[in-house]
Structure formats: C-alpha cells, structure tokens
Amino acid sequence: MTDSHGVDVSHADLRSTGTGLSGTGTSQVENVRALRAFLEGEGDPWGDDELGSLVGAAYHAVTRHALEVYESLAERQVTTGDGAAFMAASYQVAEQRSEEEADRITRSLQDVNDAGPRGAGSPRPVPRD
C-alpha cells in the first residue's frame, strides 16, 4: 500500500510491527507487576512518626498512580499491536482478492480479444419489405 506521499507499507511490515508492539507491551505489563510486588514487599521504611506517616501516605498515592498509568500504557501497547496485526491480515486478504479480481478481469478481456469482433464472418441480415 502506497499513500500519496510515497510511503510504502506492506502487510508483512504491519504484522511485524504488531508483533513487536504486542511483545513489548506484554513485557512492560509483566515488569510493572513485578515492580508493584517488589515495592509492596518493601513495607514502610519511613517510620511510624508524624513525618514518616506523611511521607508514606504521599509515597503510596504517587506510586499507586504511577504504576496504574504505566500498566495502562503497556496494556494499550498490546492492544495497539493486536490491532496492527489484525490490520495486516485484513490488508493481506484485500490484496489477494484484488489480485484475483484483476486476474479474472484480465482473463475475461483476453477471452473477448481471442474471440475477435462479434458477428465477424456471419451473413448480413436480409431486410424485409
């Protein structure tokens, strides 16, 4: 597929990109979940006093939000990769159907050309009174 700016994209390119995006996203989801488990296992190293409680509350809120955002981004990357892979399959089917239709039309035109002009060599109709 080539757009008006000369960019050439094939279904193989889309499939490869989709696989790469999905794989990277899946890896990122796993990494975020591992980081979350590690941080949760660390406990509260800032102490139980007033300052430690304030730091701990802020830390937990920021960490929870950041990990949710990172995980959401990674999941969207997987979804985008799956979409690109689906697009690749759709483009491939469309390409194959276009080629088949072009071949069918070419064969039909060849059959018409091989048959010659219609009615050649047949007698002319006799006019009636």
Side-chain angles (χ1 to χ4, degrees), residues 6-113:
V7 176
D8 187 29
V9 179
S10 70
H11 53 83
D13 294 334
L14 287 171
R15 185 179 316 105
S16 175
T17 298
T19 299
L21 282 170
S22 293
T24 301
T26 299
S27 178
Q28 288 176 345
V29 167
E30 292 168 359
N31 290 338
V32 168
R33 291 178 181 166
L35 178 60
R36 180 182 289 121
F38 172 78
L39 293 175
E40 288 172 356
E42 286 295 298
D44 297 328
W46 32 82
D48 294 340
D49 62 354
E50 187 178 342
L51 180 59
S53 295
L54 291 172
V55 169
Y59 171 82
H60 284 300
V62 169
T63 302
R64 181 175 42 255
H65 180 70
L67 291 174
E68 287 171 0
V69 170
Y70 293 147
E71 188 170 13
S72 176
L73 176 63
E75 289 170 346
R76 288 180 186 178
Q77 192 169 357
V78 171
T79 302
T80 301
D82 293 347
F86 179 78
M87 186 186 306
S90 297
Y91 277 36
Q92 185 173 16
V93 168
E95 236 177 62
Q96 289 170 343
R97 288 182 180 164
S98 295
E99 289 173 3
E100 290 168 1
E101 185 63 12
D103 289 345
R104 186 191 67 76
I105 291 169
T106 300
R107 284 191 307 273
S108 295
L109 289 173
Q110 186 63 44
D111 290 346
V112 167
N113 286 337

